[in-house]
Amino acid sequence: MGSNELLYWCEDTGSADQSMCVGYFAGLQNSGAIWSAKAEIEGSEKLHCASSDVTPDIHLRVWQQFVKKNPEMLAKAAIESYLAAMRDAFPCEESLVRQNPSKPEATSTYR
């Protein structure tokens, strides 16, 4: 799915498209939690460092703000713009990712 299509879904309030948008971001949040746990076990780099209390609604708002500030991302796949937005909002410190994965995750000002 393209970022532009996802943005359309997410801005079409009160419709089935809005429900699809919310479901999409809930799935991304759950997938991200799985990949983060896998990265900690393997000692590999995380996709982003959003804490577990960052809700799908926050993921959505972060992504919407990001693509509106970076409209060139609307031409990309939705997952690509999502990961770019999350890395921008919730960056991982090199030492946090590689040297001590048991430290608390980074937080963002998007809350």
Side-chain angles (χ1 to χ4, degrees):
M1 168 192 318
S3 296
N4 202 38
E5 180 181 7
L6 182 58
L7 184 61
Y8 173 80
W9 283 4
C10 296
E11 292 187 339
D12 191 12
T13 58
S15 71
D17 288 344
Q18 179 70 31
S19 296
M20 290 174 67
C21 170
V22 172
Y24 187 83
F25 280 91
L28 288 171
Q29 180 199 27
N30 289 330
S31 297
I34 292 167
W35 281 106
S36 289
K38 182 180 184 290
E40 285 186 25
I41 291 167
E42 295 176 348
S44 60
E45 189 171 349
K46 294 182 180 184
L47 298 175
H48 57 76
C49 285
S51 64
S52 61
D53 63 340
V54 176
T55 66
D57 289 339
I58 294 172
H59 285 241
L60 169 58
R61 285 196 309 267
V62 165
W63 177 79
Q64 284 177 314
Q65 289 176 8
F66 181 81
V67 296
K68 287 178 180 181
K69 288 181 183 175
N70 301 281
E72 70 280 3
M73 294 303 291
L74 291 171
K76 308 277 186 186
I79 189 65
E80 188 176 346
S81 64
Y82 167 77
L83 289 174
M86 295 304 289
R87 287 182 190 125
D88 182 64
F90 305 102
C92 298
E93 297 176 26
E94 186 70 23
S95 61
L96 174 70
V97 175
R98 295 233 162 85
Q99 295 174 5
N100 195 348
S102 64
K103 282 188 175 182
E105 294 179 323
T107 58
S108 171
T109 57
Y110 282 91
R111 293 180 177 197

